[in-house]
Amino acid sequence: MRETAQRPTHPRSPRRRRIPALTAAALSAACLAGALVGPAQAQAAKSEREPRSGTAIAAPAAFNHPGVLVGSSQLDFIRGKVQAGAAPWKGAYDQMTASKYGSLSYAPKPRAVVECGPYSDPNYGCTDERQDAIAAYTHALAWYVTRDDRYAKKAIEIMDAWSATIKDHTNSNAPLQTGWAGSVWPRAAEIIRYTYTGWPNVNRFATMLRSVYLPKVINGSNSNGNWELSMMEAAVGISVFLDDRASYDKAVARYLNRTQAYVYLESDGALPKTVPGSGLDTKDKIVNYWQGQSTFVTGLTQETCRDFTHTGYGISAISHVAETSRIQGEDLYPKVGERLRQALGFQSKYELGTAVPSWLCGGTVKRGLGPVTEVGFNAMHNRLGYPMDNTQKLTEQQRPAGTNSLFVAWETLTHADNTN
């Protein structure tokens, strides 16, 4: 059963009449042969209650900590599985700790100004910053699993080095760079702050996130969609760490608008949705923005015809924000789950080697989706019960999922079959 089972195997011309979003999502769920119809699935079928520009999003009255991408019950699940030597978690943990990011001799390389041009050229601290953030997160996870305080102290050493040094991100890729590193720092910081005793410079780290990172990402970007999605992931995670409800609401509202403009569903109508203020007000502009793709089918993303690697960044950020929101008790999966599920299924199908039809990207796609499927697959298949055969096959083939050395790391360890 395919993630796009409600569609025919060949594309149809998009309808000009808009189908009510809730109805389309419900039909999508109903048409999945063998799909469960319990309360979880009924809730997921409401996934297309789309946001409107300016819609207020209520942050939780009190944030849950640790609560960025992984919460307390998930961390306990991971710890138990690794200690029991269970697959795939033990293998994923061993992979993580054997990597350069898990070395107790890891040495951070902070910079006062990180300068990143297009495709990180020039690269003055860009790679170092991203890798140091991943290393801090790696050591935070290792601390939680082992309770060996050497790991916690190493995570703190890395975070302290940067909070004592960095002042700014510059050049054209500064927003994206800030988004990537800013997505990972709060994951590490949340675990250490709320599960380890003794981080004297935690307030300095908070000031760094508030003054150096949040201003660069909170207002988003009209570049390719993966930029704004990564930036909103950073903004959401930082807001949780700072207990900043206003910034959380602002980031989530922008994320919801961007998500529906990033993944196409047939219910959107003849053309994909656009972000308010984007200037994409004609068909020609929209087709150009979608990499020249003029046939729109469910699960296609704005960057599918660019390459799967960048598409994977966008899909990953969608899943990460939704996962954080669920931990915070303000679950966004009912709003974005159908788009996430269909995007995963569509890209996974072609990543696995299915022949590319001539109407899609001129008959050629650039594969390389990356280790980005675990979080979304766990949420939509394991928690909500949707069949996702293509995504499941790809996810299991890629285990243990490692890191892309940007902002995705160790998600077989953290999210494989982790329904907590």
Side-chain angles (χ1 to χ4, degrees), residues 121-404:
D121 183 16
N123 181 340
Y124 299 135
C126 314
T127 300
D128 291 340
E129 180 187 30
R130 296 192 302 263
Q131 292 187 351
D132 285 359
I134 291 172
Y137 178 49
T138 300
H139 285 278
L141 288 170
W143 144 251
Y144 198 89
V145 169
T146 64
R147 295 301 197 271
D148 183 338
D149 66 1
R150 294 179 299 168
Y151 289 116
K153 289 176 179 177
K154 178 58 69 172
I156 290 170
E157 175 192 334
I158 297 167
M159 291 188 285
D160 280 355
W162 280 89
S163 69
T165 307
I166 191 167
K167 302 298 181 186
D168 199 8
H169 297 86
T170 63
N171 214 318
S172 61
N173 266 28
L176 182 60
Q177 172 73 18
T178 310
W180 282 340
S183 294
V184 182
W185 287 128
R187 299 178 207 163
E190 281 278 301
I191 294 171
I192 296 300
R193 184 177 191 175
Y194 293 99
T195 70
Y196 180 76
T197 302
W199 185 7
N201 293 314
V202 62
N203 290 332
R204 188 178 74 194
F205 188 83
T207 298
M208 177 193 79
L209 292 181
R210 183 180 294 109
S211 61
V212 178
Y213 288 82
L214 190 58
K216 275 284 196 297
V217 297
I218 191 64
N219 292 316
S221 166
N222 282 326
S223 184
N224 282 301
N226 82 87
W227 277 51
E228 184 158 89
L229 288 165
S230 293
M231 292 163 72
M232 291 311 103
E233 179 184 348
V236 165
I238 290 168
S239 297
V240 171
F241 186 75
L242 298 178
D243 290 306
D244 184 343
R245 299 180 75 247
S247 293
Y248 184 92
D249 282 353
K250 183 175 181 178
V252 167
R254 188 174 289 276
Y255 158 84
L256 290 172
N257 279 320
R258 175 58 67 178
T259 298
Q260 67 180 16
Y262 193 71
V263 181
Y264 177 82
L265 295 180
E266 185 179 2
S267 57
D268 293 339
L271 294 171
K273 295 191 176 188
T274 61
V275 173
S278 65
L280 299 174
D281 52 6
T282 69
K283 178 179 179 180
D284 287 346
K285 289 180 181 178
I286 291 171
V287 168
N288 183 62
Y289 186 58
W290 282 63
Q291 321 299 325
Q293 177 71 12
S294 58
T295 299
F296 300 103
V297 296
T298 290
L300 183 78
T301 81
Q302 182 256 315
E303 296 185 273
T304 297
C305 293
R306 180 187 185 188
D307 58 61
F308 278 19
T309 300
H310 286 89
T311 297
Y313 301 164
I315 291 172
S316 181
I318 291 171
S319 68
H320 291 171
V321 174
E323 190 71 3
T324 294
S325 76
R326 187 193 64 85
I327 296 166
Q328 295 306 323
E330 299 291 337
D331 194 347
L332 294 176
Y333 280 115
K335 290 185 171 67
V336 304
E338 183 67 2
R339 291 186 191 272
L340 174 61
R341 182 174 73 91
Q342 297 290 358
L344 283 167
F346 188 87
Q347 266 62 222
S348 293
K349 173 182 176 180
Y350 294 107
E351 182 74 13
L352 287 165
T354 295
V356 181
S358 60
W359 56 264
L360 176 62
C361 309
T364 303
V365 295
K366 296 179 182 178
R367 295 176 173 88
L369 193 61
V372 303
T373 62
E374 288 278 13
V375 176
F377 175 69
N378 183 57
M380 300 308 298
H381 176 72
N382 294 329
R383 289 200 195 107
L384 295 174
Y386 282 109
M388 296 175 69
D389 288 1
N390 289 320
T391 307
Q392 181 169 1
K393 183 177 181 180
L394 180 62
T395 300
E396 291 175 351
Q397 279 186 5
Q398 294 186 146
R399 285 178 176 169
T403 176
N404 66 2

Side-chain angles (χ1 to χ4, degrees), residues 57-108:
I57 306 298
F63 288 101
N64 292 315
H65 302 290
V68 176
L69 190 58
V70 286
S72 295
S73 61
Q74 289 170 298
L75 288 165
D76 288 341
F77 174 89
I78 296 163
R79 185 169 190 251
K81 291 296 186 181
V82 173
Q83 290 185 333
W89 304 275
K90 181 58 165 60
Y93 177 81
D94 290 344
Q95 173 203 44
M96 180 185 79
T97 53
S99 74
K100 64 182 179 181
Y101 300 108
S103 171
L104 285 167
S105 62
Y106 189 95

